Amino acid sequence: MTLSNVGPTLVLGGARSGKSGFAERLVEGSGLSMHYVATGRAFDEEMRDRIVHHQAARQGKGWTTHEEPLDLVGLLSHIDAPEHAVLVDCLTLWVTNLMMEGRDMAAEFATLAAFLPGARARLVFVSNEVGLGIVPENRMAREFRDHAGRLHQIVAEKSAEVYFVAAGLPLKMKG
Amino acid sequence: MTLSNVGPTLVLGGARSGKSGFAERLVEGSGLSMHYVATGRAFDEEMRDRIVHHQAARQGKGWTTHEEPLDLVGLLSHIDAPEHAVLVDCLTLWVTNLMMEGRDMAAEFATLAAFLPGARARLVFVSNEVGLGIVPENRMAREFRDHAGRLHQIVAEKSAEVYFVAAGLPLKMKG
Amino acid sequence: MTLSNVGPTLVLGGARSGKSGFAERLVEGSGLSMHYVATGRAFDEEMRDRIVHHQAARQGKGWTTHEEPLDLVGLLSHIDAPEHAVLVDCLTLWVTNLMMEGRDMAAEFATLAAFLPGARARLVFVSNEVGLGIVPENRMAREFRDHAGRLHQIVAEKSAEVYFVAAGLPLKMKG
């Protein structure tokens, strides 16, 4: 598997499916300058420790890490250059953060959709598929999976390649 | 992708996966008289508004809408003609309605299974895959996903084509 | 579909996806001596009845049933011979049992991983994909799906063939 050079790549998968590892290998095989965009926010000490640990591991392999919970397009614009490969991990945490801030989800998604076709960096988006279980009883969880599903359709439509990862194995859905 | 002319089509997918949109495009590309069978019941004003809105949108494209929460085979028999393409959206809501009425699920599924091989209309069934999350704590939810899973196996076995849709992208499982 | 003769087979799927039936057919078509390893424990009379019923059905088709909730590798070692086809149903129940006993999950998984490459019997592992729904609110459930996901990646990596089953239909992910 090699990283697409004609448009963004979307990597979907479940919890502990190996989706992030697969996406990292795509980027590491590209020969480009490697950028990791973490959308997650540390809510406690343990999570902060884990983030620092992962960041150090990536740094040893030549990655630059960026943390951006909300203004994803702003950050991507800032590092948008053809010699860059950029891994965004992950879209579902971005959706969570936007919801917590009460943002206009449709507007945020439209801004990302408008940015993608002209992006010059090679972009890889990782996201959790969360819509294949029972309808959640929690209303916030239902809204979250609706937003995530809509965003996946939008990003998939603008992507050159889409993978679904299960048990560490990629299945090509598009490209 | 074109609509199968040798047997039913089953379109499975998660919440907001784009499965209904994909199924609608299959039917709209068939050149046949288009029928939409809605199995969902409006439980409140908001849902009623949404249903009316979608129905009007489909009507503008030439669809006839039928609402049938329970007697699915009765309705399908009534509109069963080779010049008709019929989209049933969705099987999981039908399962919900049958359970709420205390119906004999195995008997209902057997009636549908017996109808399918002789159907003359081109049938497309949309359904939610709901069995890929954690076992639900709620007993009713566990029974629901067992019924849905059994029904999917039955309909897939009688179908000429089966698709799994994620992020708006169809993956052919059969046909 | 025929049973791989170069390494283990992993069959993943959701609840009532038809994964166990597919795995049984793989083994039944192999012409080998058939062994069924049940990892589930009966918690009540009803479950005990169901287990006895399934066991009798398999026995009629020539299967030998083994029950082993914890020491999976011990049992597999005991029946490890090239003329045996062994179906383990399922890995997710094994994970549940190990967690309930407070075992060291990483050590247990490493023991299985070390056993697989040298196994002489033809092994088929069935497991539930549980990571494609909303993040569970229950901490134990989150840990369970993390463990299950990690185990799936480990077993898939050591397997010659991996299938994902939905609606009774197998999709080959590897092999």
Side-chain angles (χ1 to χ4, degrees):
Chain A
M1 241 63 82
T2 55
L3 182 56
S4 171
N5 60 7
V6 297
T9 297
L10 173 62
V11 180
L12 284 173
R16 301 286 165 187
S17 62
K19 59 191 184 305
S20 294
F22 171 73
E24 287 179 20
R25 290 191 298 277
L26 273 185
V27 169
E28 289 170 358
S30 71
L32 299 172
S33 166
M34 303 188 293
H35 294 265
Y36 183 93
V37 177
T39 57
R41 287 201 272 209
F43 288 105
D44 55 29
E45 198 65 22
E46 189 198 325
M47 196 169 162
R48 171 53 48 197
D49 286 354
R50 223 163 349 120
I51 288 173
V52 167
H53 174 79
H54 283 142
Q55 182 171 339
R58 281 192 306 270
Q59 201 174 341
K61 296 198 273 181
W63 290 81
T64 302
T65 296
H66 311 260
E67 296 189 32
E68 180 49 63
L70 291 166
D71 187 14
L72 182 57
V73 175
L75 175 65
L76 292 178
S77 304
H78 191 68
I79 57 177
D80 192 35
E83 66 273 22
H84 291 180
V86 179
L87 172 49
V88 177
D89 195 358
C90 63
L91 289 180
T92 22
L93 286 172
W94 182 53
V95 168
T96 302
N97 297 336
L98 291 175
M99 285 180 73
M100 282 173 146
E101 298 283 330
R103 297 289 179 94
D104 176 340
M105 307 301 286
E108 297 283 345
F109 296 174
T111 301
L112 179 60
F115 172 76
L116 294 181
R120 288 164 300 164
R122 298 216 205 150
L123 302 172
V124 182
F125 295 94
V126 170
S127 201
N128 271 69
E129 174 54 60
V130 295
L132 290 159
I134 284 289
V135 179
E137 290 180 31
N138 179 317
R139 183 167 157 270
M140 189 87 172
R142 286 199 301 276
E143 287 180 10
F144 167 71
R145 69 173 202 160
D146 283 351
H147 288 311
R150 278 193 207 99
L151 180 58
H152 294 164
Q153 289 188 54
I154 290 168
V155 175
E157 201 268 326
K158 303 289 185 192
S159 290
E161 301 192 339
V162 179
Y163 295 93
F164 184 88
V165 178
L169 303 168
L171 181 76
K172 211 176 217 185
M173 303 279 297
K174 177 178 181 179
Chain B
M1 242 62 82
T2 55
L3 181 57
S4 171
N5 60 7
V6 296
T9 297
L10 173 62
V11 180
L12 285 173
R16 302 285 166 187
S17 63
K19 58 191 183 307
S20 294
F22 172 72
E24 286 178 21
R25 289 191 298 277
L26 273 185
V27 169
E28 289 170 357
S30 71
L32 299 172
S33 166
M34 303 188 293
H35 295 264
Y36 184 92
V37 178
T39 56
R41 287 200 272 210
F43 288 105
D44 55 29
E45 197 65 21
E46 188 198 327
M47 195 169 163
R48 171 51 49 196
D49 285 354
R50 220 155 1 112
I51 289 174
V52 167
H53 174 79
H54 283 142
Q55 183 171 338
R58 281 192 305 270
Q59 202 174 340
K61 295 198 274 179
W63 292 80
T64 302
T65 296
H66 311 260
E67 295 190 31
E68 181 48 64
L70 293 165
D71 186 14
L72 182 57
V73 175
L75 175 65
L76 293 178
S77 304
H78 190 68
I79 56 177
D80 192 34
E83 67 273 23
H84 291 179
V86 179
L87 172 50
V88 177
D89 195 359
C90 63
L91 289 179
T92 23
L93 286 172
W94 182 53
V95 168
T96 302
N97 297 335
L98 292 174
M99 286 181 71
M100 282 174 147
E101 299 283 330
R103 296 290 178 94
D104 177 340
M105 307 302 285
E108 297 282 346
F109 294 174
T111 301
L112 178 61
F115 172 75
L116 294 181
R120 288 165 299 166
R122 299 215 206 150
L123 302 172
V124 182
F125 295 94
V126 170
S127 201
N128 270 70
E129 174 56 58
V130 294
L132 290 160
I134 284 288
V135 180
E137 289 179 31
N138 179 317
R139 184 167 155 270
M140 188 86 172
R142 286 199 301 276
E143 288 179 11
F144 167 71
R145 71 174 201 159
D146 283 352
H147 288 311
R150 279 193 206 99
L151 179 59
H152 294 165
Q153 289 189 54
I154 290 168
V155 175
E157 201 268 326
K158 303 290 185 191
S159 289
E161 302 192 339
V162 179
Y163 294 92
F164 183 88
V165 178
L169 302 168
L171 182 74
K172 211 177 216 182
M173 302 280 297
K174 178 179 181 179
Chain C
M1 242 60 83
T2 55
L3 182 57
S4 170
N5 61 5
V6 296
T9 297
L10 173 62
V11 180
L12 284 173
R16 302 285 168 188
S17 63
K19 59 191 184 305
S20 294
F22 172 72
E24 287 178 21
R25 289 191 298 277
L26 274 184
V27 169
E28 289 169 359
S30 72
L32 300 172
S33 166
M34 303 187 293
H35 295 265
Y36 183 94
V37 179
T39 56
R41 288 201 271 211
F43 287 106
D44 55 28
E45 198 65 23
E46 188 198 326
M47 196 170 163
R48 172 51 49 198
D49 285 354
R50 216 151 9 108
I51 289 173
V52 168
H53 174 79
H54 283 142
Q55 183 171 337
R58 281 192 306 268
Q59 202 174 341
K61 295 198 273 180
W63 291 80
T64 302
T65 296
H66 311 261
E67 295 190 31
E68 181 49 63
L70 292 165
D71 187 14
L72 182 56
V73 174
L75 174 65
L76 292 178
S77 303
H78 191 68
I79 57 177
D80 192 34
E83 67 273 21
H84 290 180
V86 180
L87 172 51
V88 177
D89 194 357
C90 63
L91 289 179
T92 23
L93 286 172
W94 182 54
V95 168
T96 302
N97 297 335
L98 292 174
M99 285 180 73
M100 280 173 148
E101 298 283 330
R103 296 290 179 93
D104 177 339
M105 308 301 286
E108 297 282 347
F109 295 173
T111 302
L112 178 61
F115 172 76
L116 293 181
R120 289 164 298 165
R122 298 215 206 152
L123 302 172
V124 182
F125 295 94
V126 170
S127 201
N128 270 69
E129 174 55 57
V130 294
L132 290 160
I134 283 289
V135 180
E137 289 180 30
N138 179 317
R139 184 167 155 270
M140 188 87 170
R142 285 199 301 275
E143 287 180 11
F144 167 72
R145 71 175 201 159
D146 282 351
H147 288 311
R150 279 192 206 99
L151 180 58
H152 293 163
Q153 289 189 53
I154 290 168
V155 175
E157 201 268 327
K158 303 289 185 192
S159 290
E161 301 191 340
V162 179
Y163 294 93
F164 183 87
V165 178
L169 302 168
L171 182 74
K172 211 176 217 183
M173 302 280 296
K174 178 179 181 179

